[in-house]
Amino acid sequence: MAGVLGVDVGGSSIKYAAVDPGSGRLLTPLGSISTPQPGDAEQLVSAISGLARRAAPDMPVGVALPCVIRQGVVFTAANLHASLIGADIQAQLRAAIGQGVACLNDADAAGLAEVRWGAARGTRGTVMVLTFGTGIGSALFVDGRLVPNTELGHLEVGGAEGEQRASARVRTELNLDWPQWCERVNVYLDAIDRLFWPEMIVIGGGISQDFAQFGSLLRSRAALVPARLGPAAGVVGAAMAVSGKEP
Ligand code: BGC
């Protein structure tokens, strides 16, 4: 089967699918396994290489992780095990899988997919893709080019990190209704807006599937649009990274 394997590592689950990098389409249904706990490098490498062997033995593998990653090395691990920091996860995965591997930040991966195939396709200027999940991920694009590892979920807003006040996890944990949660998100969006002046903000992450329920409560000077690729965005973007098909 022609294609590449996209893998998206989250704090609780690892999603994966074979992807046609030429169209962004999934060639297999989106699969999922539990993230090993505590999720150190050895456990992650064994889980990802195991699923690559089972799901797509001959394919190059793109891996999105909720981490700052430069040249394959992990620099932060806010929602994964801290012992990952300093690991050359890309080299370890390459050695274990025996195929080409590229690793990148999960929001950057989702952003690549949304800019190339989804909500921000063809949009010039400054585009910010925000993913609301366990944390808040950010991906900044200028005329379609990614500025990697922006980590704006950790932007301090009103004395706390944005993701500590407005992630989807916080909404669930505090049992916030949509207006309560959107009030928090609006404060965060305002901070993003004042610093970056994006033309468009794409609201991504699992919560984007509920956009019809809360989208009208969000306010921004930027055009606000829901992500289009849903839960597969990170997987598609990871596949794009390993196939060199980034916009
Ligand atoms: C991490 C980012 C990640 C985001 C979404 C944040 O806590 O620092 O690297 O993109 O969560 O998963």
Side-chain angles (χ1 to χ4, degrees):
M1 188 193 329
V4 295
L5 184 68
V7 178
D8 186 7
V9 178
S12 54
S13 72
I14 300 177
K15 296 199 280 288
Y16 62 95
V19 177
D20 170 9
S23 68
R25 293 220 182 82
L26 301 195
L27 298 170
T28 57
L30 192 63
S32 167
I33 58 170
S34 298
T35 307
Q37 302 299 334
D40 55 28
E42 200 180 316
Q43 287 179 323
L44 281 183
V45 168
S46 139
I48 296 168
S49 57
L51 82 78
R53 261 193 303 280
R54 284 193 306 279
D58 302 320
M59 290 183 188
V61 185
V63 182
L65 294 137
C67 306
V68 168
I69 300 186
R70 292 194 313 196
Q71 277 86 47
V73 177
V74 174
F75 282 80
T76 67
N79 296 308
L80 286 177
H81 198 265
S83 66
L84 273 176
I85 296 171
D88 188 337
I89 193 81
Q90 190 169 274
Q92 291 187 31
L93 283 165
R94 264 187 202 149
I97 295 172
Q99 293 285 339
V101 173
C103 294
L104 78 169
N105 172 263
D106 58 353
D108 286 347
L112 285 171
E114 291 295 339
V115 165
R116 182 77 175 87
W117 309 111
R121 185 171 189 171
T123 307
R124 309 305 293 171
T126 303
V127 171
M128 185 73 78
V129 179
L130 298 173
T131 62
F132 292 83
T134 307
I136 297 178
S138 62
L140 173 64
F141 293 83
V142 182
D143 289 339
R145 300 286 304 175
L146 172 67
V147 181
N149 294 313
T150 44
E151 290 294 305
L152 294 173
H154 301 288
L155 181 71
E156 204 174 299
V157 180
E161 287 190 358
E163 72 174 29
Q164 304 300 342
R165 297 189 51 79
S167 66
R169 173 181 54 84
V170 168
R171 185 182 98 81
T172 310
E173 280 176 8
L174 301 184
N175 205 14
L176 302 175
D177 61 19
W178 290 120
Q180 288 169 326
W181 180 68
C182 286
E183 208 174 296
R184 289 169 173 239
V185 176
N186 282 336
V187 174
Y188 178 71
L189 293 180
D190 184 53
I192 295 284
D193 208 22
R194 279 185 286 115
L195 294 173
F196 295 93
W197 287 77
E199 262 89 14
M200 176 182 278
I201 297 179
V202 179
I203 305 292
I207 209 155
S208 62
Q209 312 210 71
D210 298 321
F211 192 84
Q213 295 181 59
F214 67 80
S216 63
L217 301 170
L218 293 180
R219 302 270 168 269
S220 173
R221 202 159 35 198
L224 280 176
V225 294
R228 287 235 190 98
L229 298 177
V235 161
V236 173
M240 288 164 68
V242 74
S243 69
K245 292 274 181 190
E246 318 87 344

